[in-house]
Amino acid sequence: MTSCPTEDPLICLCARVPESAVLSAKTAGIRDIPSLREATGANTGCGDCLTDLEELLA
């Protein structure tokens, strides 16, 4: 069985935050990592997603 790529990839694996949640937060006016962390829970674990989050918020 072959896995299919997801249409809404997880950006933060630790908190299981999908890209759509980050983009929704951006649409709602969130522009910095601390605010995004509070709103979504992203970047509250290992920190590996930080670069991806910064790129999505740019």
Side-chain angles (χ1 to χ4, degrees), residues 12-43:
C12 177
L13 298 178
C14 295
R16 302 197 50 80
V17 178
E19 183 176 302
S20 63
V22 176
L23 295 177
S24 291
K26 181 179 178 179
T27 299
I30 291 176
R31 296 289 187 263
D32 59 76
I33 297 300
S35 298
L36 182 67
R37 189 179 297 129
E38 185 175 323
T40 66
N43 196 242

